[in-house]
Amino acid sequence: MPTNGLRQVLKIQFGLVNDTDRYLTAESFGFKVNASAPSLKRKQTWLLEPDPGQGAAVLFRSSHLGRYLSAEEDGRVSCEAEQPGRDCRFLVLPQPDGRWALRSEPHGRFFGGTEDQLSCFATAISPAELWTVHLAIHPQAHLLSVSRRRYVHLCPQEDEMAADGDMPWGVDALLTLIFQSRRYCLKSCDSRYLRSDGRLVWEPEARACYTLEFKAGKLAFKDCDGRYLAPVGPAGTLKAGRNTRPGKDELFDLEESHPQVVLVAANHRYLSVRQGVNVSANQDEEMDHETFLMQIDRETKKCTFYSSTGGYWTLVTHGGILATATQVSANTMFEMEWRGRRVALKASNGRYVCMKKNGQLAAISDFVGEPPCPPGGAWTGKVAEGAQQRPVPPGKDEEFTLKLINRPILVLRGLDGFVCHRRGSNQLDTNRSVYDVFHLSFSDGAYQIRGRGGFWNTGSHGSVCSDGERAEDFLFEFRERGRVAIRARSGKYLRGGASGLLRADADAPAGAALWEY
């Protein structure tokens, strides 16, 4: 069986934007490069790799071509090299305004230009040789301090962010990177911004904006005074320290933020491991013991549930469900069936997970709800006689309400780009390089999405607008790893159309109807 690690460091992919707001592009034809694209898509995405020689130089590899950017002695540039050679080595020189100057290490010239007139022959830095780094990863993630090996999270009592968490558990560990004026802000789960003195503020002021720097595949955040964020003191409070060069204390990893969920059974109580290893519907509040990290396998599309006590749900003898497995296997994988506002889970024995009378879970049902009527009469509700005796499936006890808890603020990205408000309109674009942050609320198996102009609502012909005074319910179906399908009240799925507008007109939760979240 495939195994999914709990912790995946994100590969830092980005675009480089020149002084005329155009992205560095790697073309398949002739392996040429230009700066003509107005938005960030696959051809405009690059990976930064350290130089194998362990020097200060770095390599730029195209995500589109898998080849390396190179600059010859006469200034000609291309993206043809399958293996990094001498001409592929560049030095990154961060500038005070947050932009980068790229200098060829072997030839000492600077890389820049406009449109299809790019070269690496300038002897000095002008505006044409300055590049803005625009991250191409999904901006919601967990932040791990490299030196302390602790996760950053919001501490509401102390009114700060601190790197002191062993696990990125709960909503407080979610961070959103906000790209603004060529710099980045760190936004907490309650929509506040981290200022360099450690305070949390409601507006992205200058002292809450940082320049991104990369060192050996790690991230550093430099403030407007040239100092770097680091965990400080015994509590690990995140603020700018004294250092003006990033050392190990100033380095961070971005890790993928898997969905964390709570589930409510038919008895209106939360599934929990509070009272031991049995997964039981016996709690009235949602806390760490009621929260489960949900991972969807890329190949099978089945999911696992990992508890805060350190074990995966697993199917055991006689159909019981315990949170004891330390490794992913066939018995820890569950198939999800989306049933409107509810979800049903099928275990590896082919049977549905249901809630027994004592609240414990067991995979013993052949049907969800009432089974088909048997030949010759109705179900009696009693145990059948004979060698194949098995209890009758207990009504709707196979259905659960699943609630996503660690996305109170939401960023959506589709095949063509991010979802963003259309300028001067209440409509939503789906092909933008920049993104808007939306607020998510939950009610009885459905979600309401709010933008800056109001709630999302669907109109005629499936159009989706963000100006509703009243909330409309949308159903979230977590279909693939890191991707969700969103179903409108019409039963259609939201998708990005050819026009770039968000519409509820897809029949199936696939392709353009799946969203990174």
Side-chain angles (χ1 to χ4, degrees), residues 396-465:
K396 291 288 187 177
D397 287 344
E398 298 84 9
E399 289 189 339
F400 302 90
T401 302
L402 185 147
K403 173 186 173 184
L404 177 70
I405 69 158
N406 63 333
R407 292 296 188 278
I409 52 180
L410 185 70
V411 175
L412 293 175
R413 180 166 69 174
L415 295 179
D416 298 316
F418 289 101
V419 175
C420 185
H421 289 95
R422 175 165 285 197
R423 293 175 184 173
S425 170
N426 60 359
Q427 296 178 308
L428 296 162
D429 281 327
T430 63
N431 57 0
R432 299 286 294 279
S433 298
V434 295
Y435 43 86
D436 278 332
V437 175
F438 301 97
H439 293 266
L440 199 64
S441 54
F442 179 86
S443 175
D444 188 30
Y447 297 83
Q448 299 82 41
I449 308 170
R450 180 167 50 86
R452 61 181 180 224
F455 289 99
W456 283 24
N457 60 87
T458 54
S460 58
H461 308 294
S463 61
V464 180
C465 297

Coordinates of all heavy atoms in Angstrom, one line a residue, residues 396-465:
K396 N -29.5 5.2 10.0 CA -28.5 6.2 9.5 C -27.3 6.3 10.3 O -26.5 7.3 10.3 CB -29.2 7.5 9.4 CG -30.3 7.6 8.3 CD -29.7 7.7 6.9 CE -30.8 7.9 5.9 NZ -30.3 8.0 4.6
D397 N -27.0 5.3 11.2 CA -25.8 5.3 12.0 C -24.5 5.2 11.2 O -23.4 5.2 11.7 CB -25.9 4.2 13.0 CG -26.9 4.5 14.1 OD1 -27.3 5.7 14.2 OD2 -27.3 3.6 14.9
E398 N -24.7 4.9 9.9 CA -23.5 4.9 9.0 C -23.1 6.3 8.4 O -22.1 6.4 7.7 CB -23.7 3.9 7.8 CG -24.0 2.5 8.2 CD -25.4 2.3 8.6 OE1 -26.3 3.1 8.4 OE2 -25.7 1.2 9.1
E399 N -23.9 7.3 8.7 CA -23.6 8.6 8.2 C -23.0 9.5 9.3 O -23.4 9.5 10.5 CB -24.9 9.2 7.7 CG -25.3 8.6 6.4 CD -26.5 9.4 5.7 OE1 -27.1 10.2 6.4 OE2 -26.7 9.2 4.5
F400 N -22.1 10.4 8.9 CA -21.4 11.3 9.8 C -21.4 12.7 9.2 O -21.3 12.8 8.0 CB -20.0 10.8 10.1 CG -19.9 9.4 10.7 CD1 -19.8 8.3 9.9 CD2 -20.0 9.2 12.1 CE1 -19.8 7.0 10.4 CE2 -19.9 7.9 12.6 CZ -19.8 6.8 11.8
T401 N -21.4 13.6 10.1 CA -21.2 15.0 9.7 C -19.7 15.3 9.8 O -19.1 15.2 10.9 CB -22.0 16.0 10.5 OG1 -23.3 15.7 10.4 CG2 -21.7 17.4 10.1
L402 N -19.0 15.7 8.7 CA -17.6 16.0 8.7 C -17.4 17.5 8.6 O -17.9 18.1 7.7 CB -16.9 15.2 7.6 CG -15.4 15.3 7.5 CD1 -14.8 14.0 6.9 CD2 -14.9 16.4 6.6
K403 N -16.6 18.0 9.5 CA -16.4 19.5 9.5 C -14.9 19.8 9.4 O -14.1 19.3 10.3 CB -16.9 20.1 10.8 CG -16.6 21.5 11.1 CD -17.1 22.0 12.4 CE -16.7 23.4 12.8 NZ -17.1 23.7 14.1
L404 N -14.5 20.6 8.5 CA -13.1 21.0 8.3 C -12.9 22.1 9.3 O -13.6 23.1 9.3 CB -12.9 21.5 6.9 CG -11.5 22.1 6.6 CD1 -10.4 21.1 6.6 CD2 -11.6 22.9 5.2
I405 N -11.8 22.0 10.2 CA -11.7 23.0 11.3 C -10.5 23.9 11.0 O -10.4 25.0 11.7 CB -11.5 22.4 12.6 CG1 -10.2 21.6 12.8 CG2 -12.7 21.5 13.0 CD1 -9.7 21.4 14.2
N406 N -9.5 23.5 10.2 CA -8.3 24.4 10.1 C -8.2 25.2 8.8 O -7.2 25.4 8.2 CB -7.0 23.5 10.3 CG -6.9 22.5 9.2 OD1 -7.8 22.0 8.6 ND2 -5.6 22.1 8.9
R407 N -9.4 25.7 8.3 CA -9.4 26.6 7.2 C -10.5 27.7 7.5 O -11.4 27.9 6.8 CB -9.7 26.0 5.9 CG -8.7 25.1 5.3 CD -7.4 25.8 5.0 NE -6.5 24.9 4.3 CZ -5.7 24.1 4.9 NH1 -5.7 24.0 6.2 NH2 -4.8 23.3 4.2
P408 N -10.4 28.4 8.6 CA -11.3 29.5 8.9 C -11.2 30.6 7.8 O -12.2 31.3 7.5 CB -10.9 30.0 10.3 CG -9.5 29.7 10.4 CD -9.3 28.4 9.7
I409 N -10.0 30.7 7.3 CA -9.8 31.6 6.1 C -9.3 30.7 4.9 O -8.6 29.8 5.1 CB -8.8 32.7 6.4 CG1 -7.5 32.2 6.9 CG2 -9.4 33.8 7.3 CD1 -6.5 33.3 7.2
L410 N -9.8 31.0 3.8 CA -9.7 30.1 2.6 C -9.1 30.8 1.4 O -9.5 31.9 1.1 CB -11.1 29.6 2.3 CG -11.3 28.5 1.2 CD1 -10.7 27.2 1.7 CD2 -12.8 28.4 0.8
V411 N -8.1 30.1 0.8 CA -7.5 30.5 -0.5 C -7.7 29.3 -1.4 O -7.4 28.2 -1.1 CB -6.0 30.8 -0.3 CG1 -5.5 31.1 -1.7 CG2 -5.8 32.0 0.6
L412 N -8.3 29.6 -2.6 CA -8.6 28.5 -3.6 C -7.8 28.7 -4.8 O -7.7 29.8 -5.4 CB -10.1 28.5 -3.9 CG -11.1 28.1 -2.8 CD1 -12.5 28.3 -3.3 CD2 -10.9 26.7 -2.4
R413 N -7.2 27.6 -5.3 CA -6.4 27.7 -6.6 C -6.9 26.5 -7.5 O -7.0 25.4 -7.0 CB -4.9 27.5 -6.4 CG -4.1 27.6 -7.7 CD -2.7 27.8 -7.5 NE -2.0 26.7 -6.9 CZ -0.7 26.6 -6.7 NH1 0.1 27.6 -7.1 NH2 -0.2 25.5 -6.2
G414 N -7.2 26.9 -8.7 CA -7.7 25.9 -9.7 C -6.6 25.6 -10.7 O -5.4 25.9 -10.5
L415 N -7.0 25.0 -11.9 CA -6.0 24.7 -12.9 C -5.4 25.9 -13.5 O -4.2 25.8 -14.0 CB -6.7 23.8 -14.0 CG -7.3 22.5 -13.6 CD1 -8.0 21.8 -14.8 CD2 -6.2 21.6 -13.1
D416 N -6.1 27.0 -13.6 CA -5.6 28.2 -14.3 C -5.1 29.3 -13.3 O -4.6 30.3 -13.8 CB -6.7 28.8 -15.2 CG -7.1 27.8 -16.2 OD1 -6.2 27.2 -16.9 OD2 -8.3 27.6 -16.5
G417 N -5.2 29.1 -12.0 CA -4.8 30.2 -11.1 C -5.7 30.3 -9.9 O -6.5 29.4 -9.6
F418 N -5.5 31.3 -9.2 CA -6.2 31.5 -7.9 C -7.6 32.2 -8.2 O -7.8 32.9 -9.2 CB -5.4 32.4 -7.0 CG -4.2 31.8 -6.4 CD1 -2.9 32.0 -7.0 CD2 -4.3 30.9 -5.3 CE1 -1.8 31.4 -6.4 CE2 -3.2 30.3 -4.8 CZ -1.9 30.5 -5.4
V419 N -8.5 32.0 -7.2 CA -9.8 32.7 -7.2 C -9.6 34.1 -6.5 O -9.0 34.2 -5.5 CB -10.8 31.9 -6.4 CG1 -12.1 32.6 -6.3 CG2 -11.0 30.5 -7.0
C420 N -10.1 35.1 -7.2 CA -9.9 36.5 -6.8 C -11.1 37.3 -7.3 O -11.7 37.0 -8.3 CB -8.6 37.0 -7.4 SG -8.1 38.6 -6.9
H421 N -11.4 38.3 -6.5 CA -12.5 39.2 -7.0 C -12.1 39.9 -8.3 O -11.0 40.4 -8.4 CB -12.7 40.3 -5.9 CG -13.4 39.8 -4.7 ND1 -12.6 39.4 -3.5 CD2 -14.7 39.6 -4.3 CE1 -13.5 39.0 -2.6 NE2 -14.7 39.1 -3.0
R422 N -13.0 39.9 -9.2 CA -12.8 40.6 -10.4 C -12.9 42.1 -10.2 O -13.8 42.6 -9.5 CB -13.8 40.2 -11.5 CG -13.8 41.0 -12.8 CD -14.5 40.3 -13.9 NE -13.8 39.2 -14.4 CZ -14.1 38.6 -15.6 NH1 -15.0 39.0 -16.4 NH2 -13.4 37.5 -16.0
R423 N -12.0 42.9 -10.8 CA -11.9 44.3 -10.5 C -13.2 45.0 -11.0 O -13.7 44.8 -12.1 CB -10.8 45.0 -11.3 CG -9.4 44.5 -10.7 CD -8.2 45.0 -11.5 NE -7.0 44.5 -11.0 CZ -5.8 44.7 -11.7 NH1 -5.8 45.4 -12.8 NH2 -4.7 44.2 -11.2
G424 N -13.8 45.8 -10.1 CA -15.0 46.6 -10.4 C -16.2 45.7 -10.6 O -17.2 46.2 -11.2
S425 N -16.2 44.5 -10.0 CA -17.3 43.6 -10.3 C -17.6 42.8 -9.0 O -16.7 42.7 -8.1 CB -17.1 42.7 -11.5 OG -18.0 41.7 -11.6
N426 N -18.8 42.2 -8.9 CA -19.0 41.3 -7.8 C -18.8 39.8 -8.2 O -19.1 38.9 -7.5 CB -20.5 41.4 -7.4 CG -21.5 41.1 -8.5 OD1 -21.1 40.8 -9.6 ND2 -22.8 41.2 -8.2
Q427 N -18.2 39.6 -9.4 CA -17.9 38.3 -9.9 C -16.5 37.9 -9.4 O -15.7 38.7 -8.9 CB -18.1 38.2 -11.4 CG -19.5 38.5 -11.9 CD -19.6 38.4 -13.4 OE1 -18.8 39.1 -14.1 NE2 -20.5 37.6 -13.9
L428 N -16.2 36.6 -9.7 CA -15.0 36.0 -9.2 C -14.2 35.4 -10.3 O -14.7 34.6 -11.1 CB -15.2 34.9 -8.1 CG -15.9 35.4 -6.9 CD1 -16.5 34.3 -6.1 CD2 -14.9 36.1 -6.0
D429 N -12.9 35.8 -10.4 CA -12.0 35.2 -11.4 C -11.3 34.0 -10.9 O -11.2 33.8 -9.7 CB -10.9 36.2 -11.8 CG -11.4 37.3 -12.8 OD1 -12.2 37.0 -13.6 OD2 -10.9 38.5 -12.7
T430 N -11.0 33.1 -11.8 CA -10.3 31.8 -11.4 C -9.0 31.6 -12.0 O -8.4 30.5 -11.9 CB -11.2 30.6 -11.8 OG1 -11.4 30.6 -13.2 CG2 -12.6 30.7 -11.1
N431 N -8.4 32.7 -12.6 CA -7.2 32.5 -13.4 C -6.1 33.6 -13.0 O -5.3 34.0 -13.8 CB -7.4 32.6 -14.9 CG -8.1 33.8 -15.3 OD1 -8.4 34.7 -14.5 ND2 -8.4 34.0 -16.6
R432 N -6.2 34.0 -11.7 CA -5.3 35.1 -11.3 C -4.0 34.6 -10.6 O -4.0 33.5 -10.0 CB -6.1 36.0 -10.3 CG -7.3 36.6 -10.9 CD -7.0 37.8 -11.9 NE -6.4 38.9 -11.2 CZ -7.1 39.8 -10.5 NH1 -8.4 39.7 -10.5 NH2 -6.5 40.8 -9.9
S433 N -3.0 35.4 -10.8 CA -1.7 35.1 -10.1 C -1.8 35.5 -8.6 O -1.1 34.9 -7.8 CB -0.5 35.8 -10.8 OG -0.4 35.4 -12.1
V434 N -2.6 36.5 -8.3 CA -2.8 36.9 -6.9 C -4.1 36.3 -6.4 O -4.9 35.8 -7.2 CB -2.8 38.4 -6.8 CG1 -1.5 39.0 -7.2 CG2 -4.0 39.0 -7.7
Y435 N -4.2 36.3 -5.1 CA -5.4 35.6 -4.5 C -6.1 36.5 -3.5 O -5.4 37.3 -2.9 CB -5.0 34.2 -3.9 CG -3.7 34.3 -3.1 CD1 -3.8 34.7 -1.7 CD2 -2.5 34.0 -3.6 CE1 -2.6 34.8 -1.0 CE2 -1.3 34.1 -2.9 CZ -1.4 34.5 -1.6 OH -0.2 34.6 -0.8
D436 N -7.4 36.2 -3.3 CA -8.1 36.9 -2.2 C -8.3 35.8 -1.2 O -8.4 34.6 -1.4 CB -9.4 37.4 -2.7 CG -9.3 38.8 -3.3 OD1 -8.4 39.5 -3.0 OD2 -10.1 39.1 -4.2
V437 N -8.4 36.3 0.1 CA -8.7 35.4 1.2 C -10.1 35.5 1.6 O -10.7 36.6 1.7 CB -7.8 35.8 2.4 CG1 -8.1 35.0 3.7 CG2 -6.3 35.7 2.1
F438 N -10.8 34.4 1.7 CA -12.2 34.3 2.0 C -12.4 33.7 3.3 O -11.6 32.9 3.8 CB -13.0 33.5 0.9 CG -12.8 34.0 -0.5 CD1 -11.8 33.5 -1.4 CD2 -13.6 35.1 -0.9 CE1 -11.7 34.1 -2.6 CE2 -13.4 35.6 -2.2 CZ -12.5 35.1 -3.1
H439 N -13.5 34.0 4.0 CA -13.8 33.5 5.3 C -14.8 32.4 5.2 O -15.8 32.5 4.4 CB -14.4 34.7 6.2 CG -13.3 35.7 6.5 ND1 -12.5 35.7 7.6 CD2 -12.9 36.8 5.8 CE1 -11.7 36.7 7.6 NE2 -11.9 37.4 6.5
L440 N -14.6 31.4 6.0 CA -15.4 30.1 5.9 C -16.1 29.9 7.2 O -15.5 30.0 8.3 CB -14.5 29.0 5.6 CG -15.1 27.7 5.0 CD1 -15.7 28.0 3.7 CD2 -14.0 26.6 4.9
S441 N -17.4 29.6 7.1 CA -18.2 29.2 8.3 C -18.9 27.9 8.0 O -19.1 27.6 6.8 CB -19.1 30.3 8.8 OG -19.9 30.7 7.7
F442 N -19.4 27.3 9.1 CA -19.9 25.9 8.9 C -21.3 25.8 9.6 O -21.5 26.4 10.7 CB -19.0 24.9 9.5 CG -19.4 23.5 9.4 CD1 -19.2 22.7 8.3 CD2 -20.1 22.9 10.5 CE1 -19.6 21.4 8.2 CE2 -20.5 21.6 10.5 CZ -20.3 20.8 9.3
S443 N -22.2 25.1 9.0 CA -23.5 24.8 9.6 C -24.1 23.6 9.1 O -24.4 23.5 7.9 CB -24.4 26.0 9.4 OG -25.7 25.8 9.9
D444 N -24.3 22.6 10.0 CA -25.0 21.3 9.6 C -24.5 20.7 8.3 O -25.3 20.5 7.4 CB -26.5 21.6 9.6 CG -27.3 20.3 9.4 OD1 -26.8 19.2 9.9 OD2 -28.4 20.3 8.8
G445 N -23.2 20.4 8.2 CA -22.7 19.8 7.0 C -22.5 20.6 5.8 O -22.1 20.1 4.7
A446 N -22.7 21.9 5.9 CA -22.5 22.8 4.7 C -21.7 24.0 5.2 O -21.5 24.3 6.4 CB -23.9 23.3 4.2
Y447 N -21.1 24.7 4.2 CA -20.2 25.8 4.4 C -20.8 27.1 3.8 O -21.4 27.0 2.7 CB -18.8 25.5 3.9 CG -18.1 24.3 4.5 CD1 -18.4 23.0 4.1 CD2 -17.2 24.5 5.5 CE1 -17.8 21.9 4.7 CE2 -16.6 23.4 6.2 CZ -16.9 22.1 5.7 OH -16.3 21.0 6.3
Q448 N -20.5 28.2 4.4 CA -20.8 29.5 3.8 C -19.5 30.2 3.6 O -18.6 30.2 4.5 CB -21.7 30.3 4.8 CG -23.1 29.6 5.0 CD -23.0 28.5 6.1 OE1 -22.3 28.7 7.1 NE2 -23.6 27.4 5.9
I449 N -19.4 30.9 2.5 CA -18.1 31.5 2.1 C -18.4 33.0 1.9 O -19.3 33.4 1.2 CB -17.6 31.0 0.7 CG1 -17.5 29.4 0.8 CG2 -16.2 31.6 0.4 CD1 -17.3 28.8 -0.6
R450 N -17.6 33.8 2.6 CA -17.8 35.3 2.6 C -16.5 36.0 2.0 O -15.4 35.7 2.5 CB -18.1 35.8 4.0 CG -18.3 37.3 4.1 CD -18.9 37.6 5.5 NE -18.1 37.0 6.6 CZ -17.1 37.6 7.1 NH1 -16.6 38.8 6.7 NH2 -16.5 37.0 8.1
G451 N -16.8 36.9 1.1 CA -15.7 37.7 0.5 C -15.9 39.1 1.0 O -16.6 39.4 1.9
R452 N -15.1 40.0 0.4 CA -15.1 41.4 1.0 C -16.4 42.1 0.7 O -16.8 43.1 1.3 CB -14.0 42.2 0.4 CG -14.0 42.3 -1.1 CD -12.7 43.1 -1.6 NE -12.7 43.2 -3.1 CZ -11.7 43.0 -3.8 NH1 -10.5 42.7 -3.3 NH2 -11.7 43.2 -5.1
G453 N -17.2 41.7 -0.3 CA -18.5 42.3 -0.6 C -19.7 41.6 -0.1 O -20.8 42.2 -0.2
G454 N -19.5 40.5 0.5 CA -20.7 39.7 1.0 C -20.5 38.2 0.9 O -19.4 37.8 0.6
F455 N -21.6 37.5 1.0 CA -21.5 36.0 0.9 C -21.5 35.6 -0.6 O -22.1 36.2 -1.4 CB -22.7 35.4 1.6 CG -22.6 35.5 3.1 CD1 -23.3 36.5 3.8 CD2 -21.8 34.6 3.8 CE1 -23.2 36.6 5.2 CE2 -21.7 34.7 5.2 CZ -22.4 35.7 5.9
W456 N -20.9 34.5 -0.8 CA -21.0 33.8 -2.1 C -22.4 33.4 -2.4 O -23.0 32.8 -1.5 CB -20.0 32.6 -2.2 CG -18.6 33.0 -2.4 CD1 -18.0 34.1 -2.1 CD2 -17.6 32.1 -3.0 NE1 -16.6 34.0 -2.4 CE2 -16.4 32.8 -2.9 CE3 -17.6 30.8 -3.5 CZ2 -15.2 32.3 -3.4 CZ3 -16.4 30.3 -3.9 CH2 -15.2 31.0 -3.9
N457 N -22.9 33.6 -3.6 CA -24.2 33.1 -3.9 C -24.2 32.7 -5.4 O -23.4 33.3 -6.2 CB -25.3 34.1 -3.6 CG -25.1 35.4 -4.3 OD1 -25.6 35.6 -5.4 ND2 -24.4 36.3 -3.7
T458 N -25.1 31.8 -5.8 CA -25.2 31.4 -7.2 C -26.4 32.1 -7.8 O -27.5 32.1 -7.2 CB -25.3 29.9 -7.3 OG1 -26.3 29.4 -6.5 CG2 -24.0 29.2 -6.9
G459 N -26.2 32.5 -9.1 CA -27.3 33.2 -9.8 C -27.7 32.4 -11.0 O -27.5 31.2 -11.1
S460 N -28.3 33.1 -11.9 CA -28.8 32.4 -13.2 C -27.6 31.9 -14.0 O -26.5 32.5 -14.0 CB -29.6 33.4 -14.0 OG -28.8 34.6 -14.3
H461 N -27.8 30.8 -14.7 CA -26.8 30.2 -15.5 C -25.6 29.8 -14.7 O -24.5 29.6 -15.3 CB -26.4 31.1 -16.7 CG -27.6 31.6 -17.4 ND1 -28.4 30.8 -18.2 CD2 -28.1 32.8 -17.6 CE1 -29.4 31.5 -18.7 NE2 -29.2 32.7 -18.4
G462 N -25.7 29.6 -13.4 CA -24.6 29.1 -12.6 C -23.5 30.1 -12.2 O -22.5 29.8 -11.7
S463 N -23.8 31.4 -12.5 CA -22.8 32.4 -12.1 C -22.6 32.5 -10.6 O -23.6 32.3 -9.9 CB -23.2 33.8 -12.7 OG -24.5 34.2 -12.1
V464 N -21.4 32.7 -10.1 CA -21.1 32.8 -8.7 C -20.7 34.3 -8.4 O -19.7 34.8 -9.1 CB -20.0 31.8 -8.3 CG1 -19.8 32.0 -6.8 CG2 -20.5 30.4 -8.6
C465 N -21.3 34.9 -7.5 CA -21.0 36.3 -7.1 C -20.7 36.3 -5.6 O -21.0 35.4 -4.9 CB -22.2 37.2 -7.4 SG -22.5 37.4 -9.2

